[in-house]
Amino acid sequence: MINKPVSANWHRYDIALTGAILLLLAYVIYLLATNYHSQQIVRSSTEARIRNDTEKQAEILAAHVSERIRDVERVAGGTEVAAFFENRALGMSMKYGLRESLVQITRHLNAVASGQADEGGALFARMCLIERDGVILAETGRVPGGETARITLGETDVDAPVAWDAFAQPPCIRLSMPVRFRGEDVGRLLAWVDVAPLFGRVDGGPGAVMQWMGLYRGFERVFSPDRAELPLPSAILAGSHAGGGVSVSNGMVFARAAVRDTPFHLVMILREHDVFGDVSPLQQIFGIGAVLATLLFALIGLLRHIEHKRMTAAIEESTERLSLALDAANDGLWDWDLRTDSLYFSPRGMTMLGYMPGEIAGDRSAWMVLIHPEDRPTFDSALAEHMSHADIPFEVESRHRMKNGTWRWLLTRGRVIARDTDGQPIRRGGTNVDIESRKEAE
């Protein structure tokens, strides 16, 4: 009895299993996308916090510089400086009156400069009052009235209210305030602020993960507490980020913020691992891609397996039908695999010679010895012609030795039933038909 066809059952099974896998794949994609979106939100929030923290630290520096600017403004507009220029306008000489005025200015400058800043240390590293041509009138730590000294205008931009003086020792922020008398600029008051104590205020707060910090003027690093020189990504230094920004490069997070009312920017650098953890969005994308690729390969493999099982079931069904048809016709089925030289005979193909199924070895030589010696040349010739011209069917009549030693006439037919990718035959198959009765009649 022929088994019930399996095609419909396999088809329903395929649809159900494929649908389940696609639903699972969609759910996994949803979970991964949701997680990625959440990580992006957390990352954006963290970058915003870092940007805000950097801006706050820059504002602390700006507030300190503003305080020092107000100190310089008070001195430049103070009575000591005004008295000097008033006395000089009255015609006093250095010997009579002017020298004493400069002494008073020098004392005042020394007192202001040595004042204690909130973060410790002196307010100013140096202060001096100069003429419009750069001649120094009074200076901290210097007795007025001695040898004439001059500030070379080419060494520092005297007119800039806030500038960086790389020639100072140590390098400092230099403040410049005009001194006016009777509506005219008669000189300038210069003050140098040591940068190092300023960074005592910029410590990042408790539990900070800051690794490096520096003060920049455009693309130039002017100061860092540890004197480290780290290359900054172009995005953080580009004009599009002139007001500040956050950039991630080479495992580091770079944050930049403008220091108000100065030409400087504060740059803070943190390790990406400390800020965002071990997994970056890019790594998550690769991870998601790997998971999806794995699921897709699994799906493809499963579909191929299902297809293989469907084809196997169909072949088994077809084979069973053919076997029943051959049994009804009293014919035997044979299948020759040219790649392994193995030869398969159906149970009927063996019983027609008196053998039980599997009693004879499944290789070609075991069957060839059963052919009658007188019929062997005819058999070999027909087989050779078929092997040379695969399109010509194989057909030959020959006697085969039965298990009891007698001979039985068989009609052997065959043809190519499978080829490789190059079109070369790899399997031949056919039937053995018992023609003993016909031969006896002849």
Side-chain angles (χ1 to χ4, degrees):
M1 180 177 180
I2 299 177
N3 293 334
K4 182 180 180 179
V6 296
S7 305
N9 293 334
W10 276 114
H11 184 64
R12 288 192 294 270
Y13 174 74
D14 290 353
I15 294 177
L17 185 58
T18 304
I21 292 176
L22 290 177
L23 286 176
L24 177 61
L25 183 62
Y27 181 64
V28 171
I29 293 175
Y30 168 76
L31 291 179
L32 293 174
T34 302
N35 180 65
Y36 176 76
H37 180 65
S38 300
Q39 290 292 332
Q40 284 292 86
I41 293 176
V42 172
R43 191 178 183 90
S44 299
S45 176
T46 303
E47 288 183 357
R49 178 180 59 81
I50 294 173
R51 182 169 55 252
N52 291 336
D53 289 346
T54 306
E55 290 173 353
K56 289 179 181 178
Q57 302 299 341
E59 183 58 29
I60 291 175
L61 286 178
H64 183 86
V65 173
S66 297
E67 291 175 3
R68 302 290 76 79
I69 290 175
R70 287 192 291 271
D71 291 338
V72 176
E73 286 177 343
R74 284 192 292 269
V75 174
T79 57
E80 293 82 357
V81 174
F84 169 78
F85 287 102
E86 181 68 34
N87 291 336
R88 190 167 68 173
L90 294 174
M92 290 186 180
S93 64
M94 290 295 293
K95 186 176 180 180
Y96 299 102
L98 287 185
R99 186 177 184 281
E100 183 60 28
S101 294
L102 292 178
V103 170
Q104 294 298 323
I105 292 175
T106 301
R107 289 174 180 172
H108 187 49
L109 295 180
N110 288 332
V112 172
S114 61
Q116 291 295 309
D118 294 339
E119 68 282 351
L123 291 178
F124 298 100
R126 177 189 177 195
M127 296 183 75
C128 69
L129 176 66
I130 65 172
E131 299 268 23
R132 293 181 60 184
D133 59 1
V135 173
I136 298 176
L137 297 173
E139 183 179 9
T140 52
R142 180 170 178 268
V143 178
E147 184 178 351
T148 301
R150 183 187 300 271
I151 289 182
T152 304
L153 299 182
E155 294 180 357
T156 177
D157 184 4
V158 175
D159 292 330
V162 181
W164 179 255
D165 191 347
F167 295 95
Q169 292 298 326
C172 295
I173 291 177
R174 187 201 41 74
L175 307 178
S176 177
M177 190 63 57
V179 176
R180 299 182 64 82
F181 177 70
R182 295 180 181 178
E184 295 183 1
D185 288 343
V186 293
R188 301 192 78 83
L189 182 63
L190 306 180
W192 286 260
V193 182
D194 189 0
V195 176
L198 296 183
F199 279 79
R201 290 187 170 195
V202 187
D203 58 4
V209 292
M210 181 174 58
Q211 297 301 310
W212 188 88
M213 179 171 49
L215 199 62
Y216 274 74
R217 181 179 57 190
F219 288 86
E220 176 190 5
R221 180 187 65 87
V222 296
F223 178 81
S224 63
D226 54 5
R227 300 186 182 276
E229 183 70 47
L230 292 181
L232 299 187
S234 58
I236 202 65
L237 292 176
S240 58
H241 291 279
V246 177
S247 177
V248 180
S249 177
N250 297 326
M252 305 297 287
V253 179
F254 302 86
R256 169 175 172 155
V259 180
R260 174 176 49 85
D261 299 330
T262 75
F264 307 119
H265 284 80
L266 178 67
V267 175
M268 298 176 65
I269 303 177
L270 309 91
R271 281 198 300 261
E272 184 179 8
H273 168 79
D274 295 334
V275 177
F276 300 115
D278 294 326
V279 182
S280 68
L282 185 59
Q283 290 173 321
Q284 285 191 341
I285 291 176
F286 288 144
I288 291 173
V291 171
L292 292 180
T294 302
L295 290 175
L296 288 176
F297 279 124
L299 177 60
I300 293 172
L302 183 58
L303 292 177
R304 287 183 175 178
H305 177 68
I306 292 173
E307 180 66 19
H308 174 71
K309 294 187 70 174
R310 183 192 296 114
M311 293 178 63
T312 301
I315 291 173
E316 290 176 353
E317 181 180 334
S318 177
T319 301
E320 185 175 0
R321 288 176 175 175
L322 178 60
S323 178
L324 290 173
L326 291 174
D327 288 343
N330 204 30
D331 295 342
L333 175 70
W334 59 271
D335 186 347
W336 179 18
D337 191 333
L338 303 179
R339 295 167 297 186
T340 60
D341 203 30
S342 60
L343 189 62
Y344 164 79
F345 269 87
S346 67
R348 175 56 187 158
M350 291 189 177
T351 58
M352 68 172 52
L353 294 178
Y355 295 95
M356 296 297 294
E359 193 172 352
I360 301 177
D363 59 84
R364 187 167 61 96
S365 60
W367 287 93
M368 296 298 288
V369 297
L370 300 179
I371 301 174
H372 196 287
E374 294 179 1
D375 300 334
R376 183 66 182 267
T378 303
F379 189 96
D380 290 343
S381 176
L383 180 61
E385 183 178 4
H386 173 64
M387 295 287 286
S388 301
H389 304 86
D391 295 334
I392 300 177
F394 171 58
E395 183 173 337
V396 65
E397 295 178 356
S398 57
R399 286 165 289 180
H400 292 254
R401 186 174 66 247
M402 297 185 63
K403 186 175 181 180
N404 60 12
T406 61
W407 298 94
R408 181 178 294 273
W409 281 96
L410 299 179
L411 171 61
T412 303
R413 293 191 179 102
R415 63 183 179 84
V416 175
I417 60 174
R419 299 177 182 269
D420 60 17
T421 55
D422 296 328
Q424 297 300 315
I426 57 175
R427 285 177 59 201
R428 286 180 165 86
T431 59
N432 280 340
V433 181
D434 187 349
I435 59 172
E436 180 69 21
S437 298
R438 179 169 64 82
K439 284 294 186 179
E440 288 179 355
E442 293 175 353

